[in-house]
Amino acid sequence: MLLCRISLVSQTLPRWGRRSQRGGGLLLRAVSFSSSQSGSGQGQYRDTVLLPKTDFPMKLTGQKLLDKELEIQQDCKFADLYSWQRERKAKKEFCLHDGPPYANGDPHVGHALNKILKDIRNRFEMLRGRQVHYVPGWDCHGLPIELKALGELGTSGLSPLQIRQKAREFAEGAIARQMAAFQRWGVMADWDQCYYTFDGAYEAAQLKVFQEMHSKGLIYQDYKPVFWSPSSRTALAEAELEYNAEHVSRAIYTTFPLATLPPNITKEAGLDSVSVLVWTTQPWTIPANQAICYMPNAQYSVVKRLDNSELLLVATERTANMAALLGTELEVVSTFTGSQLEGGICKHPTIPSKEVPLLPANHVTMAKGTGLVHTAPAHGMEDYSVASQFKLSVDCIVNEDGKFTELAGPELHNLSVMNEGTDRVISMLKECGSLVKEERCVHSYPYDWRTKQPVVIRPSKQWFINTASLKDKAKEALQKVRVLPESARSSLLAMLDRRTYWCISRQRSWGVPIPVFYHRETGEALINKHTVSHVAQLFKEKGSDCWWELPIETLLPAAVLKKVMGDYIRGEDVLDIWFDSGASWAAVLEESDSRADAYVEGKDQIGGWFQSSLLTSVAVRNKAPYKSLVVHGFAVSEKGEKMSKSLGNVVDPDVVINGGKDPSTPAFGADVLRWWVAESNVFSEVQIGPNALNSARDSISKLRRTLKFLLGNVHSFDPRSQAVDPKEMHYIDQYMLHLLREFSIKVTDAYSEFDPGRVIRVLQAFISRDLSSFYFSIIKDRLYCDPEDSLGRRSCQTVLEEILDGVTRSIAPILPHLAEEVYLHAPGHDEGETLFRSGWIKSSSVWRRPGLEEAVEGACAIRDSFLSSIPGKNSAQYDLTIAIEPGLLFELMESLQEEPTSTSSQLCELMMSSRVKLCSELPRDLPSDALLKHGTFLINLEGGVIREDSAYSIAVVPTSAARCPRCRRFTAESTDCLCPRCQTIVSQSQ
């Protein structure tokens, strides 16, 4: 017998097709034992057959399913699992830092997607022996909580402390509901030591980050334009905006009469009455105009309208567009470069006394408009840059409510800039003859992500982080971070490029106070490392409510009080909640220089928590707070729509688990919800609905059937005393251990890549192809009909127990309730032991034996030729002759059948035939009805040093043997007597 490391390549069937051919049903029919069967001898031997036995239910639904999951959580001590694994000794730690969900509502499927995805990875890491660090947290501050807590009461008449008390109570209620849901979903975490951004110790850690950044000059106070939400009456950061692509603006083209011709343009006849044409989608900003910007290197032309002889200054390349827009021909009078416009001065259309200079700027584009940009420094970020360069006024004409101030003039005072204020400005332009055209413009516009109302840009005195100075360091740090999917990296970098500064002050009460004091008379800010450290210590001891409760003399350190002169008042602004959560690494990660192994959040955090955490950590520690980022998609309806109550497509995870009031809404249980998460492509939008949930339930039901088969066939098997050494096993059993090892490697790799969907695909392929359609079909005769203590049966049971253990552990991170349920029924472990306290899949390198794979897969290829020659028929009713020319292939087949003809060899078992004859050439006296088939194998010795073509032929003829009434194989002499094997077993049992 020769067993060497070789590779067989079938030239008739691909390798992976060899175990995918039908055949599972053939032997199932041959060895199915039903109490309803009747006929000569049938049923009388049922008690001598070793049928599966297990109390494990085939199916659990409704209240029984829910009760079982809760029972498993209780009996298997889910609540204690995290603390248990933290106390055990482990060589490595796996830290998944939890991004805090917002404490402003009930749990939803977005929470389920995120928390379950994290839990799958955490449970996998714990099973493989690592000590998991996972502390759940909640983002507790901010306007949405404040608004919901106060409801219709509003903030009128309430003190900051009263507002904060109501907001805290609301947040605590939301946290309790969300935490209960997360635990019901089976999420393993440190539920006793969660972090909350309203906790004093957390706020103190946050202020330490603030103090270090301020000491480095990265945090500063300035008066500049910011996104301002009139509906919230507070400044907003970029991450707090949503862009509405369907926003409609009243865009206008209006003229600014050129009062002073640029010195570099020779005065020509007819140029005395030129007007500069500008375009804007925000007419309300016209009263705040301070300049008109041009592109220095572009060409500009004075054109004459042929319908009214008006002279307009526009960019040369926009002339054709303007002619089409105005519906008239434009005659070019003169052309010159943009730089020649320097020194030109216009008159303001609605404020005749106001002069408006022409200024160069690099933000001017030719994509839209006229190539000349209306510039209002108080109400545009790029406009403000121009103002800074040329020392222009940045007077604000809009108040906190989004209404014009007195500075806008009596005609506009108190009008809402986005509504009646815009109407009045357009009317004023019409009245003075400057309005050229008005059009409806649909474009993307920033909205307050909380109130869903449009924002404006207005200047105010705020606190900022100089992100421009951090950008390069942040990009460098990000290059050392693994990003999944990699495509998300470009979005992260783009967000960093777009953000030159970060406004971190908010004009609200519910948040972490910015620890700054102001001189009552001069308004000068008092803030340094001593004052911030002192306030941080007070917050740690008393909570941040003390900012309003304690007198200034207590809030300021004694040493500072001795040095300062004058009367100081405390600041009223609070920190942006993105700064709150962005400093979580400082409050939660156990060591000051440690980095989390992973941050796992939705794609909306690319501009949110991922970025705020990166910027704060780089600022303080010069490195990212994470080693890897996992960016998942959003949960959407099965039609791909965003979930909305108005559309009626919202999926409530509580209803998914427990069922709805409508009897047609079944209770799926937590494991179905977890399977849905795992099976989905989490790196894109994740669809959920009845179809997805029913599919998940059906998949688990199929898995339960496989597990029940495995449990039923190892019910009387003790692996500690009855297991067979792999070297003594049947080759097909050894081969299955080899496949199980391959399976465990693939599953481990998939979990390590945050790809539970691949885990499920590998699992389903293993069960359907390698187990159900292949191994289970082949072994049933040996399993049911061989003597209970025979080597062949114990060999098979040893493998089944290993498969049961491997499959159960492989699904455990995804389906912890089912895995523990199976483990309670499985043999071979101590009473009270749970799966999650017993480790990962146990595979051995000895399961990979040289030559084994080739021998079995060579036989599988011949088996496929055999089965394909009798489509739809029972293979057990045929005798098979295999003829192989002398050589390696023949020797490999001899390792599976040593005698020339056999009804009980390993080769015959694999072929599932009545009898197998192995020879070097087909007999010449074959019956006339014999089915013949031929094939060729290319055999490679390891490394390809020796190559050998081996031809084979098969002959298939109906067997002359009768069906044994006990084992149902066609190996008996007649239908009323047992086959030799069964006769021996029955006689010994009597």
Side-chain angles (χ1 to χ4, degrees):
M1 176 171 61
L2 174 65
L3 281 180
C4 53
R5 179 73 179 120
I6 65 173
S7 165
L8 297 178
V9 182
S10 170
Q11 294 185 356
T12 59
L13 285 169
R15 173 179 175 180
W16 293 113
R18 298 174 194 170
R19 295 193 305 276
S20 64
Q21 300 297 304
R22 66 153 185 87
L26 300 179
L27 197 58
L28 273 172
R29 290 196 297 272
V31 295
S32 175
F33 296 89
S34 171
S35 59
S36 63
Q37 289 176 327
S38 60
S40 178
Q42 292 190 1
Q44 61 178 308
Y45 300 109
R46 181 178 178 82
D47 292 341
T48 70
V49 177
L50 301 168
L51 296 176
K53 295 179 183 179
T54 179
D55 293 331
F56 181 78
M58 178 79 79
K59 190 175 184 180
L60 277 178
T61 58
Q63 193 59 46
K64 289 184 178 180
L65 169 63
L66 302 181
D67 291 344
K68 176 57 69 173
E69 286 189 341
L70 294 174
E71 178 187 322
I72 291 294
Q73 289 192 3
Q74 180 69 30
D75 293 349
C76 297
K77 301 178 181 178
F78 274 33
D80 301 330
L81 186 58
Y82 183 86
S83 59
W84 171 83
Q85 62 91 32
R86 290 298 293 175
E87 292 166 1
R88 68 176 178 174
K89 292 182 179 180
K91 294 181 179 179
K92 291 185 178 181
E93 180 179 86
F94 176 79
C95 177
L96 197 162
H97 182 36
D98 188 37
Y102 207 48
N104 71 328
D106 293 327
H108 51 71
V109 288
H111 290 131
L113 173 62
N114 179 260
K115 296 300 179 183
I116 292 172
L117 182 62
K118 292 173 181 175
D119 189 60
I120 289 171
R121 181 59 183 268
N122 282 338
R123 285 181 176 271
F124 162 70
E125 294 292 349
M126 190 212 70
L127 280 168
R128 70 194 301 206
R130 290 188 175 183
Q131 194 176 69
V132 172
H133 180 276
Y134 179 68
V135 181
W138 273 269
D139 200 350
C140 310
H141 291 132
L143 183 64
I145 294 173
E146 187 175 321
L147 292 177
K148 285 191 175 182
L150 299 176
E152 297 180 358
L153 294 175
T155 59
S156 178
L158 296 179
S159 69
L161 285 173
Q162 288 173 321
I163 294 172
R164 289 171 65 85
Q165 180 182 355
K166 290 182 177 295
R168 176 182 287 271
E169 290 171 355
F170 180 88
E172 288 173 341
I175 290 168
R177 295 192 301 275
Q178 290 182 18
M179 184 186 296
F182 300 165
Q183 291 174 299
R184 178 62 184 90
W185 301 342
V187 176
M188 176 191 72
D190 190 351
W191 297 114
D192 296 327
Q193 302 294 329
C194 299
Y195 76 91
Y196 311 99
T197 60
F198 61 27
D199 180 73
Y202 185 98
E203 293 171 326
Q206 178 181 339
L207 287 192
K208 182 179 179 182
V209 173
F210 178 93
Q211 182 262 312
E212 292 192 40
M213 293 180 69
H214 182 267
S215 297
K216 293 180 179 180
L218 295 170
I219 292 179
Y220 62 98
Q221 190 180 38
D222 200 0
Y223 178 82
K224 64 171 66 178
V226 295
F227 290 109
W228 185 272
S229 172
S231 55
S232 300
R233 300 187 85 253
T234 186
L236 300 178
E238 178 76 31
E240 296 172 294
L241 303 176
E242 289 180 349
Y243 283 85
N244 180 1
E246 303 300 321
H247 180 82
V248 179
S249 292
R250 295 175 67 183
I252 61 168
Y253 291 83
T254 191
T255 57
F256 283 66
L258 189 59
T260 302
L261 204 64
N264 294 326
I265 296 178
T266 303
K267 190 169 184 180
E268 301 177 13
L271 293 186
D272 291 339
S273 58
V274 175
S275 293
V276 176
L277 185 64
V278 300
W279 172 76
T280 180
T281 60
Q282 305 301 312
W284 64 267
T285 62
I286 291 292
N289 177 278
Q290 298 291 339
I292 294 174
C293 292
Y294 57 83
M295 185 185 295
N297 297 325
Q299 294 291 308
Y300 288 85
S301 297
V302 173
V303 297
K304 181 178 180 181
R305 292 184 60 162
L306 297 188
D307 58 348
N308 63 12
S309 300
E310 184 179 13
L311 294 179
L312 302 173
L313 176 63
V314 296
T316 304
E317 69 176 86
R318 298 297 300 168
T319 302
N321 297 80
M322 290 300 101
L325 179 81
L326 300 175
T328 183
E329 292 185 35
L330 297 178
E331 178 185 317
V332 177
V333 176
S334 181
T335 299
F336 30 80
T337 61
S339 58
Q340 290 178 271
L341 295 176
E342 184 178 357
I345 297 176
C346 299
K347 287 183 178 180
H348 194 286
T350 63
I351 311 173
S353 61
K354 186 175 184 178
E355 293 185 340
V356 177
L358 297 177
L359 298 174
N362 56 18
H363 71 276
V364 179
T365 70
M366 299 295 168
K368 291 181 179 180
T370 67
L372 291 150
V373 178
H374 147 63
T375 302
H379 305 292
M381 308 302 188
E382 293 164 328
D383 307 46
Y384 176 78
S385 298
V386 174
S388 300
Q389 182 180 352
F390 293 100
K391 309 301 181 185
L392 302 178
S393 171
V394 191
D395 290 336
C396 180
I397 62 171
V398 180
N399 66 17
E400 291 87 348
D401 295 315
K403 295 180 179 181
F404 282 118
T405 66
E406 291 181 2
L407 289 176
E411 289 188 71
L412 297 173
H413 186 214
N414 276 334
L415 298 181
S416 171
V417 298
M418 298 295 286
N419 299 300
E420 60 267 25
T422 293
D423 297 341
R424 186 62 193 125
V425 170
I426 293 176
S427 296
M428 292 168 67
L429 291 171
K430 286 180 181 178
E431 292 167 5
C432 69
S434 293
L435 185 67
V436 175
K437 187 175 180 63
E438 178 186 346
E439 62 183 2
R440 183 175 181 270
C441 179
V442 179
H443 64 122
S444 179
Y445 191 85
Y447 276 53
D448 184 331
W449 71 323
R450 303 176 181 106
T451 64
K452 311 303 180 185
Q453 296 299 312
V455 302
V456 296
I457 294 175
R458 63 181 293 271
S460 63
K461 204 167 188 179
Q462 303 287 346
W463 288 90
F464 299 91
I465 291 176
N466 183 4
T467 53
S469 63
L470 291 171
K471 186 187 306 180
D472 290 340
K473 289 183 179 179
K475 285 183 175 181
E476 183 180 347
L478 198 58
Q479 294 306 316
K480 301 174 184 177
V481 174
R482 188 181 184 205
V483 181
L484 293 175
E486 179 61 30
S487 58
R489 186 185 301 276
S490 60
S491 298
L492 284 160
L493 294 172
M495 287 284 189
L496 286 171
D497 278 331
R498 198 163 67 204
R499 197 174 201 173
T500 55
Y501 57 83
W502 171 11
C503 178
I504 58 170
S505 49
R506 297 293 179 270
Q507 290 65 53
R508 307 303 302 181
S509 298
W510 181 229
V512 179
I514 296 179
V516 61
F517 304 86
Y518 298 99
H519 193 282
R520 188 181 294 276
E521 295 179 1
T522 67
E524 181 182 358
L526 171 60
I527 181 171
N528 55 51
K529 64 179 181 181
H530 303 293
T531 60
V532 176
S533 296
H534 180 72
V535 171
Q537 185 61 34
L538 289 174
F539 283 9
K540 186 175 183 178
E541 296 171 359
K542 303 175 183 295
S544 58
D545 280 357
C546 72
W547 182 254
W548 287 271
E549 294 170 335
L550 299 177
I552 292 289
E553 294 75 20
T554 305
L555 292 174
L556 281 169
V560 173
L561 279 171
K562 292 178 182 179
K563 296 180 180 179
V564 298
M565 299 292 292
D567 188 13
Y568 280 86
I569 59 174
R570 74 200 87 209
E572 296 180 352
D573 292 345
V574 297
L575 284 165
D576 174 18
I577 59 171
W578 291 111
F579 192 88
D580 283 14
S581 59
S584 61
W585 55 266
V588 180
L589 302 186
E590 292 182 343
E591 298 176 8
S592 60
D593 63 342
S594 63
R595 293 194 301 159
D597 289 284
Y599 276 33
V600 183
E601 301 299 330
K603 62 183 182 181
D604 56 328
Q605 299 307 316
I606 288 175
W609 189 57
F610 289 155
Q611 190 176 136
S612 63
S613 299
L614 176 65
L615 291 171
T616 54
S617 181
V618 167
V620 174
R621 308 187 301 171
N622 203 31
K623 64 181 178 181
Y626 35 68
K627 298 176 184 177
S628 63
L629 284 179
V630 180
V631 187
H632 63 74
F634 295 146
V636 296
S637 73
E638 288 185 325
K639 294 181 179 179
E641 300 169 331
K642 184 177 179 179
M643 292 192 183
S644 168
K645 290 183 179 179
S646 62
L647 295 176
N649 61 1
V650 175
V651 177
D652 184 346
D654 181 67
V655 173
V656 170
I657 292 176
N658 298 307
K661 296 179 181 178
D662 186 343
S664 65
T665 307
F668 287 104
D671 274 355
V672 164
L673 190 66
R674 294 178 67 97
W675 182 279
W676 162 71
V677 172
E679 191 175 27
S680 302
N681 177 9
V682 296
F683 300 128
S684 63
E685 305 299 50
V686 183
Q687 296 183 354
I688 185 171
N691 292 332
L693 294 170
N694 284 325
S695 175
R697 180 189 57 193
D698 293 345
S699 295
I700 295 176
S701 294
K702 292 176 183 177
L703 177 60
R704 287 189 74 95
R705 288 198 288 271
T706 299
L707 293 168
K708 183 177 178 68
F709 174 86
L710 289 165
L711 286 168
N713 283 293
V714 296
H715 72 280
S716 61
F717 178 72
D718 185 352
R720 292 169 292 194
S721 61
Q722 296 174 325
V724 175
D725 187 284
K727 295 179 181 179
E728 299 176 4
M729 289 180 177
H730 283 208
Y731 283 169
I732 186 64
D733 299 334
Q734 294 182 49
Y735 178 66
M736 284 310 303
L737 290 181
H738 159 70
L739 292 182
L740 179 60
R741 182 172 180 268
E742 281 190 344
F743 165 76
S744 68
I745 292 172
K746 291 176 183 177
V747 165
T748 302
D749 289 345
Y751 275 124
S752 299
E753 296 291 323
F754 265 103
D755 195 353
R758 178 150 52 101
V759 172
I760 288 179
R761 292 191 296 274
V762 169
L763 170 71
Q764 290 177 327
F766 180 65
I767 288 175
S768 63
R769 183 189 64 203
D770 297 333
L771 298 182
S772 298
S773 297
F774 180 64
Y775 188 60
F776 290 173
S777 300
I778 291 169
I779 61 170
K780 282 193 174 80
D781 175 72
R782 179 163 34 121
L783 196 59
Y784 297 166
C785 300
D786 273 9
E788 182 173 9
D789 293 324
S790 65
L791 177 62
R793 189 170 186 276
R794 291 303 187 204
S795 169
C796 179
Q797 284 186 304
T798 302
V799 173
L800 290 178
E801 193 277 332
E802 293 285 5
I803 292 172
L804 173 65
D805 190 72
V807 169
T808 305
R809 293 181 194 280
S810 74
I811 65 170
I814 298 171
L815 306 174
H817 304 89
L818 175 58
E820 289 287 19
E821 182 188 359
V822 172
Y823 198 71
L824 291 173
H825 289 81
H829 54 81
D830 297 329
E831 185 177 353
E833 184 182 36
T834 68
L835 183 144
F836 280 98
R837 289 169 170 82
S838 60
W840 187 232
I841 304 173
K842 304 171 183 66
S843 64
S844 172
S845 58
V846 301
W847 293 355
R848 184 71 175 92
R849 285 193 58 204
L852 171 66
E853 180 182 1
E854 289 73 20
V856 175
E857 292 210 349
C860 285
I862 297 173
R863 173 179 179 265
D864 288 339
S865 294
F866 165 45
L867 296 178
S868 64
S869 69
I870 53 168
K873 297 181 180 178
N874 188 348
S875 61
Q877 294 179 271
Y878 291 86
D879 289 341
L880 174 64
T881 300
I882 304 172
I884 308 174
E885 60 186 22
L888 292 175
L889 181 59
F890 186 84
E891 293 181 32
L892 287 168
M893 293 307 100
E894 277 191 316
S895 68
L896 297 173
Q897 178 169 305
E898 297 181 0
E899 60 273 23
T901 302
S902 177
T903 61
S904 59
S905 69
Q906 296 183 45
L907 184 60
C908 187
E909 178 187 52
L910 198 153
M911 295 299 157
M912 301 190 303
S913 63
S914 172
R915 184 189 318 268
V916 170
K917 181 178 182 180
L918 182 63
C919 54
S920 58
E921 60 179 354
L922 291 177
R924 297 182 179 179
D925 56 347
L926 288 171
S928 59
D929 60 348
L931 300 172
L932 303 180
K933 211 162 191 179
H934 308 280
T936 305
F937 287 93
L938 176 63
I939 304 178
N940 288 326
L941 290 178
E942 187 171 13
V945 178
I946 300 176
R947 297 166 61 87
E948 179 178 300
D949 284 322
S950 295
Y952 73 89
S953 300
I954 62 170
V956 182
V957 297
T959 184
S960 60
R963 188 187 193 198
C964 173
R966 178 176 180 270
C967 69
R968 314 294 166 79
R969 289 191 63 210
F970 287 80
T971 51
E973 292 184 1
S974 64
T975 57
D976 57 355
C977 67
L978 299 172
C979 67
R981 179 201 46 179
C982 290
Q983 190 172 6
T984 301
I985 294 172
V986 171
S987 63
Q988 290 177 348
S989 64
Q990 292 176 345

